[in-house]
Structure formats: structure tokens, C-alpha cells
Amino acid sequence: MIALRNMADLVTGAGLRLGVTGLSRAGKTVFITALVHHLTRMAKAPAAEPRRNFPVFRVHAENRLTRAWLEPQPDDSVPRFAYEDHIAALTGGGKGHEAREWPHSTRRISELRLTIEFEKTEGWRKGASSLTLDIVDYPGEWLLDLPLLEKSYAEFSQEMIDAARAPARAAQSAELLAFLSSREATAPAQEDDARKAADLFTQYLRACRNDRLALSTLPPGRFLMPGDLEGSPALTFAPLILDAQQPAATGSLAAMMERRYESYKSIVVRPFFRDHFARLDRQIVLADVLSTVNSGPAAVRDLENALAGVLGAFRTGRSTLLSTLFRPRIDRILFAATKADHLHHTSHDRLEAILRLLVARAIARAENLGADIDIIALAAVRATREALVRERGADLEAIAGVPLAGEVIDGEVFEGKSEAAIFPGELPIDPAQVFRGEGLALSESEANFRAVRFRPPLLRPAFDGKTEAMPHIRMDRALEFLLGDRLK
Ligand SMILES: Nc1nc2c(ncn2[C@@H]2O[C@H](COP(=O)(O)OP(=O)(O)OP(=O)(O)O)[C@@H](O)[C@H]2O)c(=O)[nH]1
Ligand SMILES: [Mg+2]
């Protein structure tokens, strides 16, 4: 099945499948919307005039990108990424620019196809050429499930119980652990026990995610986004405190849980792996690093664990027997810290350095990745501009934007109309400090400033009847890393 589909991919010519993932609210929808917005606006300029927009994206800078357009979504069983709705939300659509807002949260997989026409300068067939780009948006939580494929129920239980016993999770896990200690894994299976354990386990996972510490990294991902599997046995299991020496006896609670865990793998994890993950060529992993840093060192370490989990998933993808025979697998992974427009540009490199360190620590734990990795701090949609504010004779570097309706700054409640300038504070020069909680040097007001959310930017009309392009930070660098080599 996989082989056939990949053969078809091969025969239809130059195609690239780009996965876009990240934990919830990381910025996936906004990133894809901005990417499609920019690509479909790019067109060959009549004369060889210099291209100032997107200077690092070479195919465009060199005026070789002829045009790009959306195609019908080719996979009938996958929802199409609702590009038109999302771009309408960001720009205010037909309702006028006063109505502009961020797109709604999306909790499922979706996909979009673009064709990019360009002039090829390398290889044996130079001249007019095209690349089919499939963009797949999926929750990062699903990715964190992939390592389960290589884990037995006993291993899964052990890891989950160890994590639940960690001091950082003590408050959230107390009830679950108390219940599990009161039940013998070897006792006869009772549906009631299974349900109660699964409920407490789900509550615990939810508490970790909702907690201000943003402990967000534990599988199984579908427990928090069950969709139409809600209440089914495949989602009604939990880890148990097991005696490592003893295999689960027939009819015991442990045996029932084990069977359901295996069902979860075969109903949820394996199809995702086979139908989606195994077909990706490139991957961008988005993370809201700034919010994490603001939440303190425990959240930073947790994000490191999540990134190690993500890298572990890519390694699983490489080693598993299910891997595809015909195509090279993911060969480039870009890790991106999103929403960099919440900082002054003097801190963009520092944000990048923090993510670089986080990923490096995660890579040190995952061996033999076999993919090129790059790190970037970006804003897919730049909602702020930089401003110099003179205060008591000193020039201060501020960012200015229109706070969302309801945001409060220094006691003033905003209505989503007027602009405000804030001082977001600086990130530490030494990225290691964020692991220790040092050097964040945030006064209380700075911490509040960083949490301010701005409305999407107002786009001015451009000469050709359209509006100006969506402002961004370093999207051209992201595009060059993800697509550049395929557009030469
Ligand atoms: N200022 C700014 N805010 C952003 C940017 N990207 C995302 N955001 C904010 O982050 C929120 C979440 O972004 P989404 O793109 O919806 O995130 P997602 O990963 O698709 O989230 P789910 O669909 O809920 O998983 C948005 O509503 C914005 O408030 C950006 O480039 N700049
Ligand atoms: Mg989304």
C-alpha cells in the first residue's frame, strides 16, 4: 500500500511533502497561511529589477519563480487546509480590515497542494520546471506518539509512572498514583477499574498541559484530542504499576490494559505513521519558545524533553520496519521559534540561540538522526513594528502594535483599535541561563508586556489593487532551507 502510493508519487514527477507540526498554539496555522500567501503572490518581474522582499529565498530573489498556485487537495480522506478562511480572518476578509483576527484553533490534520513554476538552472534539464508542494499540518502531540510503536506496554507503564512520580508533576499526579497503588495489576480485569484509571490518567495529562508550567509532552496524544474515538476501549487504558518479572496473566487487569494499549497503537499510531508521517520529505517543527522561557526553567526543561521526543519520533521513523522502500525519508528538519515579533530584533538571535541549545541538548540524547537540521527564530506574521521611545532623556527600544481587545497594559484596558508601545525586555546573552532561570531580568511589567497579544497587522493597499504583502520575520530563510535546494 505504502509502496504503491510512493511509486505513484515518484511517477508524477517532482513533488515535495512538507510536514508542519508543533504542540497546540505553536503557530502552525498562521505559518502555513503566511507561507501560502507569500508563495502565491510571488511572480516573475517583467524586468530584472532587484527583489527586496524575501532576499534570502533565492529562487525569488533571482527572479526565477514564475508563479505558484493552489491545486485541489489530492488525498480524499484528509481535510483540506482552509487557507481562504484563515487568510480572510487575518486580513478581515470581506468584513473590512477592522475585523482582522487570528485564525481559529485547528485540532486535526489537514493538507494543501501548491504548484510552483520556476526556471531551473541546475541539473540536466534546465529551463521551465515545476515543483508540487504538499503541505501537511498535524498536531505535534501525534508525533510524540510514534515512539510508542517501539515500546511494550510494560515499558510504557514504567516510563509513565516514573514521569508521574517526578517532583514537577507531583501535584497533578497524586490522585492517579494513589488509585494505581490501590489496584493489583494481577487482579481480574474489571471494566470499572479500567475506566476509572483511564479517567484519572486523562485528567492528569490534561492538568500537565493546562498548568502554567506548560508540562505538555506526554503521550498518548489522542487522550486529549479524542475525536470520534472518545470512550472507545482503545482510549480506555492507563499505565499500571507492574511487577517487571511477571508477565500479565490472562484475564488480569494488566492483560486488558495491555491489549487496549496495543489497539491504540494499531488503530491510532500506526495509520498516522503509514498514511502521513512516512510520506514526508521535509519537516518544520514550530515551538512557542518565548512563552516557554517566560514560564521559567521547569517549562524550558519540559520543552527540551518534548523536542527530544520529537527527535525520537524521527528516529523511529527511520528504523521501523514499516519504513518506506522507495523514497528517501525526511532529510531536512527545521526547528523554529515562532512569534519573534514579540521581541525587539536585537533579541531575535538570542531567541534562536536558546532554541539551538534546546535542540542540541535533545540531539545529544538521540543518536543517528540522518537529517540536516537548522534552527531559526521567526514570525510568520509580524504584528508589531519597532519603535524608539524617549523616556527620561534615554532612547529605549520598544515594539509597537495594536493589542487585542481586552488586553491590559499598565492598568489600561485596550479595545483592539489603538496602538501601544511596550518594552519587551531582553533575552539573556548566554542561552544556558534560561535553564537555570537566571538572567531573564524581567521586571513584573516586562513579564506582562511579553504576554500582550497583538492584532494581526494592518495591510496597506498596494499599487496593483492588491494589498501589500504580510510582514514577517525571517520567513525567507525558512523557505530557503525547506525548499531552496529543490528550486535550483
Ligand atoms: N504576533 C504573532 N502571533 C502569532 C504568530 N503566529 C501565531 N501567533 C499567535 O499564536 C496563536 C496560535 O497560532 P496558530 O497558528 O493558530 O497555532 P496552531 O499551532 O495552529 O494552534 P492549534 O491549531 O490550536 O494547534 C495565534 O492565535 C496568534 O495569537 C506570529 O507570527 N506573530
Ligand atoms: Mg492550527
Side-chain angles (χ1 to χ4, degrees), residues 52-335:
R52 272 179 292 274
N53 199 5
F54 275 68
V56 180
F57 188 39
R58 284 185 43 203
V59 68
H60 178 64
E62 292 167 3
N63 200 22
R64 292 188 292 107
L65 197 153
T66 317
R67 64 193 180 114
W69 65 93
L70 288 172
E71 299 271 11
Q73 203 282 90
D75 284 316
D76 290 342
S77 59
V78 181
R80 180 175 179 276
F81 179 85
Y83 170 70
E84 294 76 9
D85 297 350
H86 300 319
I87 195 79
L90 282 172
T91 55
K95 291 181 275 173
H97 57 73
E98 278 301 320
R100 62 195 198 282
E101 60 188 7
W102 297 103
H104 289 301
S105 174
T106 48
R107 281 291 148 81
R108 9 168 246 186
I109 191 162
S110 65
E111 204 178 304
L112 195 66
R113 172 169 284 190
L114 276 165
T115 297
I116 303 172
E117 240 175 47
F118 67 104
E119 276 164 35
K120 204 166 167 52
T121 55
E122 287 183 2
W124 52 277
R125 260 179 57 189
K126 300 193 174 53
S129 191
S130 73
L131 176 74
T132 305
L133 175 65
D134 286 319
I135 304 173
V136 186
D137 171 0
Y138 67 91
E141 287 80 356
W142 296 9
L143 203 53
L144 297 180
D145 273 357
L146 288 184
L148 297 184
L149 289 177
E150 292 182 326
K151 275 180 204 148
S152 69
Y153 176 65
E155 289 165 329
F156 162 77
S157 279
Q158 189 63 52
E159 274 180 25
M160 285 294 126
I161 300 287
D162 288 348
R165 284 179 175 153
R169 297 181 197 266
Q172 293 81 2
S173 64
E175 216 182 328
L176 172 70
L177 289 175
F179 180 79
L180 294 182
S181 326
S182 74
R183 290 295 181 278
E184 288 288 344
T186 49
Q190 303 279 353
E191 181 63 36
D192 249 13
D193 285 345
R195 282 230 325 266
K196 180 82 181 147
D199 270 358
L200 289 172
F201 183 46
T202 310
Q203 277 172 33
Y204 155 71
L205 294 174
R206 189 170 295 129
C208 290
R209 190 186 66 182
N210 289 350
D211 195 85
R212 252 201 70 249
L213 294 175
L215 298 165
S216 52
T217 59
L218 292 178
R222 226 51 78 86
F223 275 51
L224 297 182
M225 326 174 164
D228 46 13
L229 282 178
E230 183 146 27
S232 66
L235 293 195
T236 312
F237 69 90
L240 289 175
I241 301 170
L242 298 172
D243 178 353
Q245 311 306 325
Q246 223 162 16
T250 319
S252 66
L253 182 61
M256 176 161 128
M257 293 291 204
E258 178 168 10
R259 199 186 62 241
R260 292 178 176 189
Y261 169 79
E262 292 301 330
S263 299
Y264 181 83
K265 281 164 46 174
S266 59
I267 296 172
V268 174
V269 189
R270 235 170 244 124
F272 164 65
F273 179 86
R274 184 188 59 216
D275 299 339
H276 304 294
F277 187 76
R279 298 170 65 207
L280 297 176
D281 303 296
R282 299 269 156 97
Q283 177 69 54
I284 177 166
V285 180
L286 305 173
D288 188 347
V289 178
L290 191 57
S291 297
T292 309
V293 168
N294 291 343
S295 300
V300 173
R301 269 191 297 275
D302 204 64
L303 179 60
E304 181 196 325
N305 285 336
L307 293 176
V310 166
L311 288 169
F314 290 117
R315 204 186 46 217
T316 311
R318 229 154 251 287
S319 62
T320 178
L321 285 176
L322 281 164
S323 57
T324 53
L325 295 170
F326 288 98
R327 61 169 43 226
R329 283 142 302 181
I330 295 174
D331 60 350
R332 288 189 177 195
I333 308 173
L334 181 59
F335 286 91

Side-chain angles (χ1 to χ4, degrees), residues 18 20 27-42 53-54 57 81-84 86-88 90-91 102-103 112 114 133 135 286 338 378-382 457 459 468-476 478-479:
L18 170 66
V20 178
K28 302 178 288 292
T29 303
V30 172
F31 175 83
I32 297 174
T33 307
L35 185 150
V36 173
H37 164 83
H38 289 296
L39 282 176
T40 52
R41 286 173 63 102
M42 286 176 185
N53 199 5
F54 275 68
F57 188 39
F81 179 85
Y83 170 70
E84 294 76 9
H86 300 319
I87 195 79
L90 282 172
T91 55
W102 297 103
L112 195 66
L114 276 165
L133 175 65
I135 304 173
L286 305 173
T338 51
L378 59 77
V381 171
R382 179 178 197 162
L459 305 181
E468 64 182 352
M470 201 75 80
H472 67 91
I473 296 169
R474 298 182 178 173
M475 277 294 270
D476 51 341
L479 280 179

